[in-house]
Amino acid sequence: MYFAALLARTEDGWEASDTELDDVETLSDLTDLARDASVDEDTVLVYIEQEDAWFGVVRVDGEEDPRIYVSDASAAARSSYGEILLTDELLGREPGAEDEIAALEELVDLDGTEDGEPEVSEDDAVEGRADPVVDDDVTPLDAVPSGPLGDLGLLADFGLSEKELLTLRTDALVEIADALGAAEVMESVR
């Protein structure tokens, strides 16, 4: 189960609203959603959580690029909303790397052999009739690191240090709202 909320900074403090992400398919869609909630191009935070598995915060300041923090990248990678946050840039990949991976995968059959390469059965491999090559040092190009990933300082100017952000687990939204001074408005949407 997912929960998503928007916190928009205004002259009078913070405004909070829960939000549906049904129409959000990309980070660009999520950024547009945040900008639509913005008052005078002020800061908007989008908070997404999957119960006790991971949470993510996207900070949008006017027309600047969004800043992203994900509490557990490997858990988020197994989630459709998490995949939105795990951009090539955040993962340290070249833009379009996923397209290259898909193209390479098309060159290899599902059984792991290249076209024209003889197939080695498990029985042959076990009985020593073939010499399958296994390279333990190869890291998949699409591997996602476990643990926190992203901009640790994204909430520092609001009083939540990098160290404090790293320690957040369950009830992260409550602690973030407390640091922002938005606990009361957040409680109304939770």
Side-chain angles (χ1 to χ4, degrees):
M1 175 150 165
Y2 292 94
F3 174 76
L6 287 170
L7 281 168
R9 191 171 184 190
T10 69
E11 288 179 3
D12 301 324
W14 292 91
E15 290 181 5
S17 61
D18 60 348
T19 188
E20 290 295 322
L21 299 177
D22 295 339
D23 296 331
V24 174
E25 295 179 8
T26 65
L27 180 59
S28 181
D29 293 342
L30 190 61
T31 303
D32 290 344
L33 181 73
R35 287 189 177 123
D36 289 346
S38 176
V39 177
D40 295 328
E41 296 190 4
D42 214 335
T43 301
V44 176
L45 301 175
V46 181
Y47 177 88
I48 302 170
E49 92 181 8
Q50 183 179 5
E51 57 186 35
D52 297 333
W54 65 275
F55 72 89
V57 179
V58 178
R59 178 176 175 165
V60 179
D61 293 301
E63 292 300 317
E64 292 180 28
D65 288 340
R67 297 167 59 191
I68 304 166
Y69 172 78
V70 177
S71 67
D72 187 338
S74 63
R78 295 184 296 271
S79 152
S80 58
Y81 294 123
E83 287 179 341
I84 292 171
L85 304 181
L86 298 174
T87 63
D88 286 338
E89 182 180 342
L90 191 65
L91 292 169
R93 291 188 226 163
E94 290 294 318
E98 284 186 25
D99 296 335
E100 290 176 27
I101 292 167
L104 289 173
E105 287 174 349
E106 285 181 23
L107 296 175
V108 178
D109 291 336
L110 292 177
D111 64 5
T113 62
E114 292 186 34
D115 289 339
E117 182 179 290
E119 221 174 292
V120 178
S121 71
E122 286 183 37
D123 293 336
D124 289 344
V126 170
E127 294 176 16
R129 290 184 290 217
D131 188 21
V133 177
V134 178
D135 188 354
D136 292 332
D137 295 332
V138 174
T139 303
L141 293 175
D142 59 347
V144 176
S146 61
L149 187 65
D151 186 345
L152 296 175
L154 109 142
L155 299 173
D157 58 331
F158 294 122
L160 195 66
S161 70
E162 292 178 11
K163 183 179 177 181
E164 291 169 317
L165 186 62
L166 285 170
T167 62
L168 297 179
R169 296 289 175 248
T170 58
D171 294 329
L173 181 59
V174 172
E175 294 185 45
I176 291 171
D178 280 343
L180 299 174
E184 286 182 28
V185 294
M186 185 49 69
E187 189 61 36
S188 66
V189 298
R190 188 76 162 146

